[in-house]
Amino acid sequence: MMRVAIIGGGIVGACAALAAQRAGFIVTLIEPETPGGEQAASYGNGCWLSPSSVVPPAVPGLWKKLPKFLSDPLGPLAIRWSYLPKAAPWLVRYLLSGWTEARVMRTGHALRALVRNAPELHAALAEEAGVGHLIERRGLLYIYPTRADFEAEALAWRVRRETGVKWLEIGEDELRQREPDLDRRYRFAVLVEEGGHCRNPGAYVAALIGQAEAQGMKRVRTRATGFTIEAGRLKAVRTDQGEVAADRAVICAGAYSRALARAVGDNLPLETERGYHAVITDAQVGPRTPMMPSDGKMSLTWTETGLRVAGQVEIAGLAAAPNWKRAEILRDHLLRCFPGLPREVPTDKIRFWMGHRPSMPDGLPCIGPASGSSDVFHCFGHGHVGLVAAPRSAELVAAWLSGAAAPFLAQPYSAARFG
Ligand SMILES: Cc1cc2nc3c(=O)[nH]c(=O)nc-3n(C[C@H](O)[C@H](O)[C@H](O)COP(=O)(O)OP(=O)(O)OC[C@H]3O[C@@H](n4cnc5c(N)ncnc54)[C@H](O)[C@@H]3O)c2cc1C
């Protein structure tokens, strides 16, 4: 039987490992940390399984805000001056990818292929792993102070409509009934009924990896460093602790995938969009449905461990220390959304986290064969949508492993687009 090494045990690696097993491969996971642990973006994200996450981060006119991003270190998108020279090529590509509406629409279609059906797919995966309770499907709410604020986001909703997302508009009275604890400055909302959320992304990843292990997957607790390739064919994945023999390998190391991709011939513009969360562990009030306030661009979601607010984008690289003021901004916005929460949250009742979104500049992941060996496959760079998009990404991994046709058009995710 063919052996496949999955490199990285976040949500993308977990779904890839299960898909590889289903395709009949012997699977080894190479992961230096605890799967689903705090090192992974998959641990601390906003929990959204959003079939409406089809709008790439860069949209026309964003460049006009660049001076603000550089001058306001605490804005929702901030770029650290000291990191600017390193990030500049990525930023240029980022802005260009959203330069026209046509480009945004094209990206929207490619994203939709990865996120549609996601709540059902996750529900099935969770059920099989014995953690069905971690996936809830009660929709996702986008909340606005006024209808005019919703209309000001016309492009985003046009992309959603054209890619097949459906929604319900909710007026003030209905919003009060649905969300009695929400601050009254929000008077309009949009409900995406097909949306879902995960109540504990870290535990979910751990359960999926546990299931793969129960089905025979071997886990090697070490860091992958490169590949042994002879005449274009993969022999082994190199690690800190020697070689792991493999016929195929899938790179799923999230924001840490760049050096591995380079080791197999692809110099790809992978950057980290650092994000933060705050969790209030004993909140008594909060949203009935996970929600995103238009004036904060953050997700507010109940989890098993408390009320989580997640968001912010900080371009400052993998090495810089967290700036916890950014997590405090999230906390303060959450408190403003729910006046029933205490004005001061004691430090032992709140937890802050920072993690690394693995982001390509055009808002699409890299999924496809590496140029240095057709035995190595890229599956990383999922940016803001890695949780929701992991099962469909794994379908592409499984098709590649089995030599079958891709179940949907895979070309938009190819590394060759950066060639
Ligand atoms: C604040 C925030 C909010 C977000 N909200 C959402 C959301 O609501 N919905 C959504 O869909 N997405 C969201 N995302 C994005 C999502 O979390 C990521 O896209 C996704 O978790 C990426 O998964 P991954 O498996 O590729 O990477 P990770 O989860 O980062 O996992 C990578 C793994 O690779 C391991 N690794 C690293 N280097 C090596 C190596 N050399 N060898 C072996 N293993 C290695 C790491 O230890 C880690 O466990 C959010 C992200 C953030 C930061």
PDB file of all heavy atoms in Angstrom, residues 16-53:
ATOM      1  N   ALA A  16      -7.149  16.305   5.737  1.00  0.00           N
ATOM      2  CA  ALA A  16      -6.375  15.632   4.681  1.00  0.00           C
ATOM      3  C   ALA A  16      -6.029  14.211   5.111  1.00  0.00           C
ATOM      4  O   ALA A  16      -6.092  13.275   4.300  1.00  0.00           O
ATOM      5  CB  ALA A  16      -5.109  16.432   4.372  1.00  0.00           C
ATOM      6  N   ALA A  17      -5.657  14.039   6.379  1.00  0.00           N
ATOM      7  CA  ALA A  17      -5.270  12.711   6.874  1.00  0.00           C
ATOM      8  C   ALA A  17      -6.452  11.744   6.770  1.00  0.00           C
ATOM      9  O   ALA A  17      -6.305  10.610   6.295  1.00  0.00           O
ATOM     10  CB  ALA A  17      -4.786  12.815   8.319  1.00  0.00           C
ATOM     11  N   LEU A  18      -7.643  12.204   7.187  1.00  0.00           N
ATOM     12  CA  LEU A  18      -8.815  11.325   7.119  1.00  0.00           C
ATOM     13  C   LEU A  18      -9.175  11.001   5.664  1.00  0.00           C
ATOM     14  O   LEU A  18      -9.528   9.863   5.335  1.00  0.00           O
ATOM     15  CB  LEU A  18     -10.008  11.984   7.833  1.00  0.00           C
ATOM     16  CG  LEU A  18      -9.904  11.990   9.374  1.00  0.00           C
ATOM     17  CD1 LEU A  18     -10.934  12.933   9.987  1.00  0.00           C
ATOM     18  CD2 LEU A  18     -10.091  10.574   9.930  1.00  0.00           C
ATOM     19  N   ALA A  19      -9.039  12.002   4.801  1.00  0.00           N
ATOM     20  CA  ALA A  19      -9.357  11.766   3.378  1.00  0.00           C
ATOM     21  C   ALA A  19      -8.360  10.780   2.774  1.00  0.00           C
ATOM     22  O   ALA A  19      -8.743   9.921   1.967  1.00  0.00           O
ATOM     23  CB  ALA A  19      -9.332  13.097   2.622  1.00  0.00           C
ATOM     24  N   ALA A  20      -7.092  10.895   3.175  1.00  0.00           N
ATOM     25  CA  ALA A  20      -6.070   9.973   2.646  1.00  0.00           C
ATOM     26  C   ALA A  20      -6.346   8.552   3.114  1.00  0.00           C
ATOM     27  O   ALA A  20      -6.194   7.595   2.350  1.00  0.00           O
ATOM     28  CB  ALA A  20      -4.682  10.433   3.090  1.00  0.00           C
ATOM     29  N   GLN A  21      -6.767   8.423   4.362  1.00  0.00           N
ATOM     30  CA  GLN A  21      -7.130   7.076   4.856  1.00  0.00           C
ATOM     31  C   GLN A  21      -8.289   6.501   4.065  1.00  0.00           C
ATOM     32  O   GLN A  21      -8.274   5.344   3.663  1.00  0.00           O
ATOM     33  CB  GLN A  21      -7.516   7.151   6.342  1.00  0.00           C
ATOM     34  CG  GLN A  21      -6.316   7.198   7.269  1.00  0.00           C
ATOM     35  CD  GLN A  21      -6.727   7.127   8.727  1.00  0.00           C
ATOM     36  OE1 GLN A  21      -7.804   7.603   9.106  1.00  0.00           O
ATOM     37  NE2 GLN A  21      -5.863   6.570   9.561  1.00  0.00           N
ATOM     38  N   ARG A  22      -9.290   7.359   3.845  1.00  0.00           N
ATOM     39  CA  ARG A  22     -10.458   6.889   3.076  1.00  0.00           C
ATOM     40  C   ARG A  22     -10.053   6.469   1.666  1.00  0.00           C
ATOM     41  O   ARG A  22     -10.630   5.562   1.088  1.00  0.00           O
ATOM     42  CB  ARG A  22     -11.526   7.983   3.005  1.00  0.00           C
ATOM     43  CG  ARG A  22     -12.642   7.787   4.032  1.00  0.00           C
ATOM     44  CD  ARG A  22     -13.849   8.652   3.716  1.00  0.00           C
ATOM     45  NE  ARG A  22     -13.484  10.032   3.487  1.00  0.00           N
ATOM     46  CZ  ARG A  22     -13.401  10.965   4.426  1.00  0.00           C
ATOM     47  NH1 ARG A  22     -13.656  10.682   5.674  1.00  0.00           N
ATOM     48  NH2 ARG A  22     -13.055  12.202   4.143  1.00  0.00           N
ATOM     49  N   ALA A  23      -9.009   7.129   1.131  1.00  0.00           N
ATOM     50  CA  ALA A  23      -8.542   6.788  -0.223  1.00  0.00           C
ATOM     51  C   ALA A  23      -7.665   5.533  -0.210  1.00  0.00           C
ATOM     52  O   ALA A  23      -7.142   5.135  -1.249  1.00  0.00           O
ATOM     53  CB  ALA A  23      -7.767   7.970  -0.810  1.00  0.00           C
ATOM     54  N   GLY A  24      -7.459   4.952   0.983  1.00  0.00           N
ATOM     55  CA  GLY A  24      -6.751   3.674   1.055  1.00  0.00           C
ATOM     56  C   GLY A  24      -5.261   3.782   1.310  1.00  0.00           C
ATOM     57  O   GLY A  24      -4.533   2.806   1.144  1.00  0.00           O
ATOM     58  N   PHE A  25      -4.792   4.961   1.715  1.00  0.00           N
ATOM     59  CA  PHE A  25      -3.366   5.136   1.966  1.00  0.00           C
ATOM     60  C   PHE A  25      -2.997   4.817   3.415  1.00  0.00           C
ATOM     61  O   PHE A  25      -3.836   4.922   4.312  1.00  0.00           O
ATOM     62  CB  PHE A  25      -2.958   6.584   1.661  1.00  0.00           C
ATOM     63  CG  PHE A  25      -2.733   6.842   0.202  1.00  0.00           C
ATOM     64  CD1 PHE A  25      -3.799   6.828  -0.689  1.00  0.00           C
ATOM     65  CD2 PHE A  25      -1.466   7.062  -0.295  1.00  0.00           C
ATOM     66  CE1 PHE A  25      -3.603   7.050  -2.043  1.00  0.00           C
ATOM     67  CE2 PHE A  25      -1.252   7.277  -1.640  1.00  0.00           C
ATOM     68  CZ  PHE A  25      -2.323   7.276  -2.516  1.00  0.00           C
ATOM     69  N   ILE A  26      -1.733   4.440   3.618  1.00  0.00           N
ATOM     70  CA  ILE A  26      -1.192   4.334   4.978  1.00  0.00           C
ATOM     71  C   ILE A  26      -0.689   5.725   5.332  1.00  0.00           C
ATOM     72  O   ILE A  26       0.132   6.300   4.611  1.00  0.00           O
ATOM     73  CB  ILE A  26      -0.012   3.351   5.024  1.00  0.00           C
ATOM     74  CG1 ILE A  26      -0.487   1.964   4.591  1.00  0.00           C
ATOM     75  CG2 ILE A  26       0.622   3.317   6.400  1.00  0.00           C
ATOM     76  CD1 ILE A  26       0.642   0.962   4.476  1.00  0.00           C
ATOM     77  N   VAL A  27      -1.198   6.280   6.439  1.00  0.00           N
ATOM     78  CA  VAL A  27      -0.938   7.696   6.728  1.00  0.00           C
ATOM     79  C   VAL A  27      -0.030   7.857   7.943  1.00  0.00           C
ATOM     80  O   VAL A  27      -0.218   7.201   8.966  1.00  0.00           O
ATOM     81  CB  VAL A  27      -2.274   8.449   6.969  1.00  0.00           C
ATOM     82  CG1 VAL A  27      -2.013   9.920   7.268  1.00  0.00           C
ATOM     83  CG2 VAL A  27      -3.201   8.310   5.769  1.00  0.00           C
ATOM     84  N   THR A  28       0.957   8.747   7.792  1.00  0.00           N
ATOM     85  CA  THR A  28       1.760   9.184   8.933  1.00  0.00           C
ATOM     86  C   THR A  28       1.599  10.694   9.060  1.00  0.00           C
ATOM     87  O   THR A  28       1.721  11.412   8.060  1.00  0.00           O
ATOM     88  CB  THR A  28       3.259   8.860   8.720  1.00  0.00           C
ATOM     89  OG1 THR A  28       3.391   7.457   8.552  1.00  0.00           O
ATOM     90  CG2 THR A  28       4.092   9.309   9.911  1.00  0.00           C
ATOM     91  N   LEU A  29       1.298  11.156  10.259  1.00  0.00           N
ATOM     92  CA  LEU A  29       1.207  12.599  10.491  1.00  0.00           C
ATOM     93  C   LEU A  29       2.509  13.065  11.144  1.00  0.00           C
ATOM     94  O   LEU A  29       2.943  12.498  12.150  1.00  0.00           O
ATOM     95  CB  LEU A  29       0.028  12.912  11.430  1.00  0.00           C
ATOM     96  CG  LEU A  29      -0.086  14.392  11.841  1.00  0.00           C
ATOM     97  CD1 LEU A  29      -0.547  15.253  10.669  1.00  0.00           C
ATOM     98  CD2 LEU A  29      -1.055  14.561  13.012  1.00  0.00           C
ATOM     99  N   ILE A  30       3.096  14.111  10.563  1.00  0.00           N
ATOM    100  CA  ILE A  30       4.299  14.707  11.153  1.00  0.00           C
ATOM    101  C   ILE A  30       3.867  16.041  11.758  1.00  0.00           C
ATOM    102  O   ILE A  30       3.424  16.946  11.036  1.00  0.00           O
ATOM    103  CB  ILE A  30       5.384  14.921  10.080  1.00  0.00           C
ATOM    104  CG1 ILE A  30       5.718  13.576   9.412  1.00  0.00           C
ATOM    105  CG2 ILE A  30       6.629  15.561  10.688  1.00  0.00           C
ATOM    106  CD1 ILE A  30       6.656  13.693   8.213  1.00  0.00           C
ATOM    107  N   GLU A  31       3.945  16.163  13.061  1.00  0.00           N
ATOM    108  CA  GLU A  31       3.450  17.369  13.764  1.00  0.00           C
ATOM    109  C   GLU A  31       4.244  17.498  15.074  1.00  0.00           C
ATOM    110  O   GLU A  31       4.209  16.592  15.906  1.00  0.00           O
ATOM    111  CB  GLU A  31       1.944  17.227  14.033  1.00  0.00           C
ATOM    112  CG  GLU A  31       1.350  18.164  15.074  1.00  0.00           C
ATOM    113  CD  GLU A  31       1.446  19.651  14.722  1.00  0.00           C
ATOM    114  OE1 GLU A  31       0.838  20.078  13.748  1.00  0.00           O
ATOM    115  OE2 GLU A  31       2.148  20.381  15.467  1.00  0.00           O
ATOM    116  N   PRO A  32       4.955  18.611  15.253  1.00  0.00           N
ATOM    117  CA  PRO A  32       5.808  18.730  16.441  1.00  0.00           C
ATOM    118  C   PRO A  32       5.036  19.001  17.739  1.00  0.00           C
ATOM    119  O   PRO A  32       5.555  18.772  18.828  1.00  0.00           O
ATOM    120  CB  PRO A  32       6.721  19.922  16.112  1.00  0.00           C
ATOM    121  CG  PRO A  32       5.970  20.716  15.089  1.00  0.00           C
ATOM    122  CD  PRO A  32       5.100  19.758  14.344  1.00  0.00           C
ATOM    123  N   GLU A  33       3.814  19.520  17.616  1.00  0.00           N
ATOM    124  CA  GLU A  33       3.068  19.932  18.819  1.00  0.00           C
ATOM    125  C   GLU A  33       1.836  19.039  18.992  1.00  0.00           C
ATOM    126  O   GLU A  33       1.588  18.145  18.208  1.00  0.00           O
ATOM    127  CB  GLU A  33       2.606  21.386  18.676  1.00  0.00           C
ATOM    128  CG  GLU A  33       3.685  22.367  18.288  1.00  0.00           C
ATOM    129  CD  GLU A  33       4.566  22.773  19.445  1.00  0.00           C
ATOM    130  OE1 GLU A  33       4.188  22.510  20.609  1.00  0.00           O
ATOM    131  OE2 GLU A  33       5.640  23.350  19.182  1.00  0.00           O
ATOM    132  N   THR A  34       1.024  19.398  20.007  1.00  0.00           N
ATOM    133  CA  THR A  34      -0.224  18.669  20.211  1.00  0.00           C
ATOM    134  C   THR A  34      -1.228  19.099  19.132  1.00  0.00           C
ATOM    135  O   THR A  34      -1.481  20.301  18.977  1.00  0.00           O
ATOM    136  CB  THR A  34      -0.814  19.019  21.593  1.00  0.00           C
ATOM    137  OG1 THR A  34       0.182  18.716  22.558  1.00  0.00           O
ATOM    138  CG2 THR A  34      -2.079  18.237  21.877  1.00  0.00           C
ATOM    139  N   PRO A  35      -1.786  18.154  18.369  1.00  0.00           N
ATOM    140  CA  PRO A  35      -2.764  18.560  17.346  1.00  0.00           C
ATOM    141  C   PRO A  35      -3.931  19.334  17.978  1.00  0.00           C
ATOM    142  O   PRO A  35      -4.470  18.923  19.010  1.00  0.00           O
ATOM    143  CB  PRO A  35      -3.241  17.224  16.767  1.00  0.00           C
ATOM    144  CG  PRO A  35      -2.114  16.275  17.031  1.00  0.00           C
ATOM    145  CD  PRO A  35      -1.524  16.713  18.346  1.00  0.00           C
ATOM    146  N   GLY A  36      -4.280  20.444  17.355  1.00  0.00           N
ATOM    147  CA  GLY A  36      -5.354  21.270  17.905  1.00  0.00           C
ATOM    148  C   GLY A  36      -4.889  22.154  19.049  1.00  0.00           C
ATOM    149  O   GLY A  36      -5.697  22.814  19.692  1.00  0.00           O
ATOM    150  N   GLY A  37      -3.569  22.185  19.285  1.00  0.00           N
ATOM    151  CA  GLY A  37      -3.045  22.998  20.388  1.00  0.00           C
ATOM    152  C   GLY A  37      -2.949  24.475  20.040  1.00  0.00           C
ATOM    153  O   GLY A  37      -3.189  24.875  18.897  1.00  0.00           O
ATOM    154  N   GLU A  38      -2.554  25.270  21.040  1.00  0.00           N
ATOM    155  CA  GLU A  38      -2.601  26.728  20.895  1.00  0.00           C
ATOM    156  C   GLU A  38      -1.653  27.283  19.837  1.00  0.00           C
ATOM    157  O   GLU A  38      -1.763  28.425  19.433  1.00  0.00           O
ATOM    158  CB  GLU A  38      -2.294  27.394  22.245  1.00  0.00           C
ATOM    159  CG  GLU A  38      -3.364  27.134  23.265  1.00  0.00           C
ATOM    160  CD  GLU A  38      -3.318  28.105  24.441  1.00  0.00           C
ATOM    161  OE1 GLU A  38      -2.725  29.194  24.298  1.00  0.00           O
ATOM    162  OE2 GLU A  38      -3.864  27.761  25.494  1.00  0.00           O
ATOM    163  N   GLN A  39      -0.671  26.461  19.402  1.00  0.00           N
ATOM    164  CA  GLN A  39       0.268  26.933  18.364  1.00  0.00           C
ATOM    165  C   GLN A  39      -0.430  27.110  17.014  1.00  0.00           C
ATOM    166  O   GLN A  39       0.065  27.822  16.146  1.00  0.00           O
ATOM    167  CB  GLN A  39       1.419  25.925  18.215  1.00  0.00           C
ATOM    168  CG  GLN A  39       1.137  24.704  17.338  1.00  0.00           C
ATOM    169  CD  GLN A  39       0.229  23.648  17.989  1.00  0.00           C
ATOM    170  OE1 GLN A  39      -0.063  23.726  19.168  1.00  0.00           O
ATOM    171  NE2 GLN A  39      -0.228  22.678  17.218  1.00  0.00           N
ATOM    172  N   ALA A  40      -1.564  26.447  16.848  1.00  0.00           N
ATOM    173  CA  ALA A  40      -2.199  26.379  15.524  1.00  0.00           C
ATOM    174  C   ALA A  40      -3.285  27.438  15.369  1.00  0.00           C
ATOM    175  O   ALA A  40      -4.043  27.708  16.310  1.00  0.00           O
ATOM    176  CB  ALA A  40      -2.811  24.990  15.322  1.00  0.00           C
ATOM    177  N   ALA A  41      -3.376  28.000  14.171  1.00  0.00           N
ATOM    178  CA  ALA A  41      -4.490  28.912  13.879  1.00  0.00           C
ATOM    179  C   ALA A  41      -5.816  28.182  14.097  1.00  0.00           C
ATOM    180  O   ALA A  41      -6.820  28.782  14.501  1.00  0.00           O
ATOM    181  CB  ALA A  41      -4.395  29.399  12.440  1.00  0.00           C
ATOM    182  N   SER A  42      -5.788  26.875  13.860  1.00  0.00           N
ATOM    183  CA  SER A  42      -7.004  26.079  13.978  1.00  0.00           C
ATOM    184  C   SER A  42      -7.537  26.034  15.410  1.00  0.00           C
ATOM    185  O   SER A  42      -8.687  25.651  15.622  1.00  0.00           O
ATOM    186  CB  SER A  42      -6.737  24.652  13.496  1.00  0.00           C
ATOM    187  OG  SER A  42      -6.281  24.674  12.168  1.00  0.00           O
ATOM    188  N   TYR A  43      -6.746  26.398  16.360  1.00  0.00           N
ATOM    189  CA  TYR A  43      -7.183  26.400  17.757  1.00  0.00           C
ATOM    190  C   TYR A  43      -8.024  27.652  18.078  1.00  0.00           C
ATOM    191  O   TYR A  43      -9.067  27.561  18.726  1.00  0.00           O
ATOM    192  CB  TYR A  43      -5.952  26.371  18.666  1.00  0.00           C
ATOM    193  CG  TYR A  43      -6.241  26.687  20.120  1.00  0.00           C
ATOM    194  CD1 TYR A  43      -6.575  25.671  21.009  1.00  0.00           C
ATOM    195  CD2 TYR A  43      -6.178  27.995  20.602  1.00  0.00           C
ATOM    196  CE1 TYR A  43      -6.839  25.956  22.335  1.00  0.00           C
ATOM    197  CE2 TYR A  43      -6.451  28.286  21.927  1.00  0.00           C
ATOM    198  CZ  TYR A  43      -6.779  27.265  22.786  1.00  0.00           C
ATOM    199  OH  TYR A  43      -7.054  27.551  24.091  1.00  0.00           O
ATOM    200  N   GLY A  44      -7.527  28.810  17.616  1.00  0.00           N
ATOM    201  CA  GLY A  44      -8.065  30.055  18.176  1.00  0.00           C
ATOM    202  C   GLY A  44      -8.925  30.875  17.260  1.00  0.00           C
ATOM    203  O   GLY A  44      -9.233  32.029  17.562  1.00  0.00           O
ATOM    204  N   ASN A  45      -9.326  30.281  16.143  1.00  0.00           N
ATOM    205  CA  ASN A  45     -10.051  31.088  15.142  1.00  0.00           C
ATOM    206  C   ASN A  45     -11.452  31.484  15.622  1.00  0.00           C
ATOM    207  O   ASN A  45     -11.865  31.162  16.734  1.00  0.00           O
ATOM    208  CB  ASN A  45     -10.121  30.326  13.815  1.00  0.00           C
ATOM    209  CG  ASN A  45     -10.713  28.959  14.021  1.00  0.00           C
ATOM    210  OD1 ASN A  45     -11.797  28.836  14.558  1.00  0.00           O
ATOM    211  ND2 ASN A  45      -9.987  27.929  13.625  1.00  0.00           N
ATOM    212  N   GLY A  46     -12.174  32.141  14.709  1.00  0.00           N
ATOM    213  CA  GLY A  46     -13.492  32.653  15.068  1.00  0.00           C
ATOM    214  C   GLY A  46     -14.602  31.612  15.063  1.00  0.00           C
ATOM    215  O   GLY A  46     -15.761  31.958  15.302  1.00  0.00           O
ATOM    216  N   CYS A  47     -14.284  30.361  14.752  1.00  0.00           N
ATOM    217  CA  CYS A  47     -15.223  29.231  14.832  1.00  0.00           C
ATOM    218  C   CYS A  47     -16.258  29.214  13.708  1.00  0.00           C
ATOM    219  O   CYS A  47     -17.135  28.344  13.688  1.00  0.00           O
ATOM    220  CB  CYS A  47     -15.986  29.200  16.150  1.00  0.00           C
ATOM    221  SG  CYS A  47     -14.983  29.374  17.613  1.00  0.00           S
ATOM    222  N   TRP A  48     -16.199  30.171  12.783  1.00  0.00           N
ATOM    223  CA  TRP A  48     -17.268  30.257  11.784  1.00  0.00           C
ATOM    224  C   TRP A  48     -17.091  29.229  10.676  1.00  0.00           C
ATOM    225  O   TRP A  48     -16.000  29.090  10.107  1.00  0.00           O
ATOM    226  CB  TRP A  48     -17.288  31.663  11.162  1.00  0.00           C
ATOM    227  CG  TRP A  48     -18.042  32.643  12.008  1.00  0.00           C
ATOM    228  CD1 TRP A  48     -18.044  32.709  13.375  1.00  0.00           C
ATOM    229  CD2 TRP A  48     -18.895  33.696  11.553  1.00  0.00           C
ATOM    230  NE1 TRP A  48     -18.849  33.728  13.797  1.00  0.00           N
ATOM    231  CE2 TRP A  48     -19.378  34.354  12.709  1.00  0.00           C
ATOM    232  CE3 TRP A  48     -19.284  34.157  10.295  1.00  0.00           C
ATOM    233  CZ2 TRP A  48     -20.249  35.448  12.622  1.00  0.00           C
ATOM    234  CZ3 TRP A  48     -20.142  35.239  10.214  1.00  0.00           C
ATOM    235  CH2 TRP A  48     -20.628  35.870  11.368  1.00  0.00           C
ATOM    236  N   LEU A  49     -18.180  28.526  10.383  1.00  0.00           N
ATOM    237  CA  LEU A  49     -18.253  27.640   9.218  1.00  0.00           C
ATOM    238  C   LEU A  49     -19.166  28.368   8.242  1.00  0.00           C
ATOM    239  O   LEU A  49     -20.372  28.151   8.203  1.00  0.00           O
ATOM    240  CB  LEU A  49     -18.827  26.282   9.621  1.00  0.00           C
ATOM    241  CG  LEU A  49     -18.078  25.591  10.769  1.00  0.00           C
ATOM    242  CD1 LEU A  49     -18.798  24.326  11.211  1.00  0.00           C
ATOM    243  CD2 LEU A  49     -16.644  25.282  10.369  1.00  0.00           C
ATOM    244  N   SER A  50     -18.540  29.288   7.522  1.00  0.00           N
ATOM    245  CA  SER A  50     -19.340  30.263   6.804  1.00  0.00           C
ATOM    246  C   SER A  50     -19.324  30.034   5.300  1.00  0.00           C
ATOM    247  O   SER A  50     -18.330  30.326   4.637  1.00  0.00           O
ATOM    248  CB  SER A  50     -18.799  31.661   7.122  1.00  0.00           C
ATOM    249  OG  SER A  50     -19.353  32.586   6.240  1.00  0.00           O
ATOM    250  N   PRO A  51     -20.427  29.530   4.750  1.00  0.00           N
ATOM    251  CA  PRO A  51     -20.506  29.372   3.295  1.00  0.00           C
ATOM    252  C   PRO A  51     -20.552  30.731   2.592  1.00  0.00           C
ATOM    253  O   PRO A  51     -20.490  30.802   1.378  1.00  0.00           O
ATOM    254  CB  PRO A  51     -21.818  28.610   3.084  1.00  0.00           C
ATOM    255  CG  PRO A  51     -22.248  28.165   4.436  1.00  0.00           C
ATOM    256  CD  PRO A  51     -21.656  29.104   5.423  1.00  0.00           C
ATOM    257  N   SER A  52     -20.665  31.819   3.376  1.00  0.00           N
ATOM    258  CA  SER A  52     -20.682  33.157   2.780  1.00  0.00           C
ATOM    259  C   SER A  52     -19.314  33.832   2.854  1.00  0.00           C
ATOM    260  O   SER A  52     -19.180  35.007   2.504  1.00  0.00           O
ATOM    261  CB  SER A  52     -21.735  34.017   3.481  1.00  0.00           C
ATOM    262  OG  SER A  52     -21.669  33.854   4.880  1.00  0.00           O
ATOM    263  N   SER A  53     -18.276  33.086   3.277  1.00  0.00           N
ATOM    264  CA  SER A  53     -16.911  33.647   3.289  1.00  0.00           C
ATOM    265  C   SER A  53     -16.329  33.570   1.892  1.00  0.00           C
ATOM    266  O   SER A  53     -15.427  32.789   1.613  1.00  0.00           O
ATOM    267  CB  SER A  53     -16.028  32.870   4.273  1.00  0.00           C
ATOM    268  OG  SER A  53     -16.300  33.267   5.579  1.00  0.00           O
TER     269      SER A  53
END
